[in-house]
Amino acid sequence: AGLVFAFYPAHNAYRTHLNFFSVQWVPLCALFIVRIERRGRLWDGLGAGLSFALCGLSGERLLLLAAFWAALWLAYKLVFERHNWSRKTARALLLAIVTCVLIAGPLLAPLVVGFFDPEISQNLTAPTPQEKRTDLLAYFLPSRYHPLISQKTIFKKLYKRVVNFWERSAAIGYGALALMAWAVWKRWREARPWVFTALISALLALGSTLEFNGRELIPLPYKLLTYTPLSAAVRNPERFNIVLALPVAV
């Protein structure tokens, strides 16, 4: 799981954006959220708050994506496995939120204020002229930046003839796909919340219109989020691939 997350192609695609490249705190966020749900210990709440705060200090949008994943995971657990929840769980989650706000809040406050200022938010949240979404085929094919494809090889010629999309790498990887299938088959009960968060993240990363090999097909749920604060803060739906790496790896 650590190797899959560390070398996930989508992370490397953001190597020129340090606020998205610093994903090292995201697994710790997930670890403490899982421990909070299972044990409800205050130490885990403190660890979660610290991890989310470090995410926010690395990049405010990274904090948003990590919090989005945590909300999905906790929502699934609350609806389908509520028997594990107790007052200890609520206290630990509250401590996590308070810790994150106390540590990262003073530095992120100007960004939050600017988000609600019409003049400033226009620059902070303005989407790119063309929606940067993920082509469905991109999840199953290496990107054009892959060493075997970027060089003058037969694979490069094949890509020019067959592949009609150009975007950041979104490939999951055949090894990771095989491990996912094995985990779902062998341990479906434990895998369900991870499958749920993976599917939602991938669905949002596809954007407002399903695209397959450059062809636009049908509208998708992200269209309903186009003018919401979540869409404005994330700006480009393809960025949900950053947090998709977490459930894929686990």
Side-chain angles (χ1 to χ4, degrees):
L3 288 173
V4 170
F5 186 85
F7 295 99
Y8 198 73
H11 294 161
N12 187 56
Y14 285 92
R15 59 190 178 277
T16 58
H17 294 72
L18 294 182
N19 55 327
F20 288 113
F21 192 62
S22 301
V23 295
Q24 65 272 13
W25 306 114
V26 176
L28 286 177
C29 294
L31 172 65
F32 286 114
I33 287 295
V34 171
R35 284 185 173 181
I36 286 175
E37 190 271 336
R38 290 180 179 175
R39 306 174 185 176
R41 298 190 308 183
L42 293 180
W43 280 111
D44 294 325
L46 187 63
L50 179 60
S51 300
F52 278 103
L54 291 171
C55 257
L57 297 178
S58 298
E60 71 284 353
R61 288 189 172 95
L62 198 58
L63 170 60
L64 178 65
L65 290 171
F68 167 78
W69 172 85
L72 284 180
W73 197 87
L74 289 171
Y76 179 92
K77 286 288 188 174
L78 182 61
V79 173
F80 296 103
E81 299 179 22
R82 196 169 186 173
H83 58 277
N84 291 333
W85 288 61
S86 64
R87 291 184 179 179
K88 289 183 177 180
T89 307
R91 286 198 296 265
L93 286 174
L94 179 61
L95 178 60
I97 295 172
V98 171
T99 302
C100 180
V101 171
L102 289 177
I103 296 175
L107 294 174
L108 296 180
L111 287 173
V112 176
V113 173
F115 183 82
F116 293 99
D117 187 310
E119 295 183 1
I120 300 176
S121 63
Q122 186 174 2
N123 296 323
L124 288 175
T125 63
T128 52
Q130 184 177 2
E131 182 183 74
K132 291 185 177 180
R133 55 178 177 259
T134 304
D135 192 295
L136 181 60
L137 189 59
Y139 284 126
F140 307 100
L141 292 178
S143 75
R144 295 176 185 268
Y145 302 105
H146 191 283
L148 292 178
I149 299 168
S150 60
Q151 306 299 324
K152 293 182 179 180
T153 63
I154 187 174
F155 296 103
K156 184 173 184 178
K157 295 180 180 180
L158 180 64
Y159 255 55
K160 285 185 177 181
R161 295 175 183 175
V162 178
V163 179
N164 297 316
F165 60 87
W166 185 287
E167 58 190 14
R168 297 184 190 276
S169 177
I172 296 175
Y174 301 126
L177 284 171
L179 289 172
M180 286 172 59
W182 181 83
V184 169
W185 178 46
K186 286 289 188 179
R187 304 185 67 178
W188 167 241
R189 184 177 180 83
E190 293 85 352
R192 283 184 300 183
W194 303 98
V195 172
F196 172 74
T197 56
L199 290 176
I200 297 297
S201 300
L203 181 63
L204 294 179
L206 292 174
S208 59
T209 304
L210 179 62
E211 188 174 312
F212 186 83
N213 201 21
R215 295 180 58 187
E216 295 185 354
L217 300 177
I218 58 174
L220 293 174
Y222 189 84
K223 187 180 286 291
L224 301 175
L225 302 176
T226 302
Y227 300 104
T228 62
L230 175 63
S231 176
V234 175
R235 294 186 66 184
N236 299 319
E238 66 170 6
R239 290 174 174 170
F240 284 100
N241 287 321
I242 296 173
V243 76
L244 173 62
L246 182 60
V248 166
V250 176

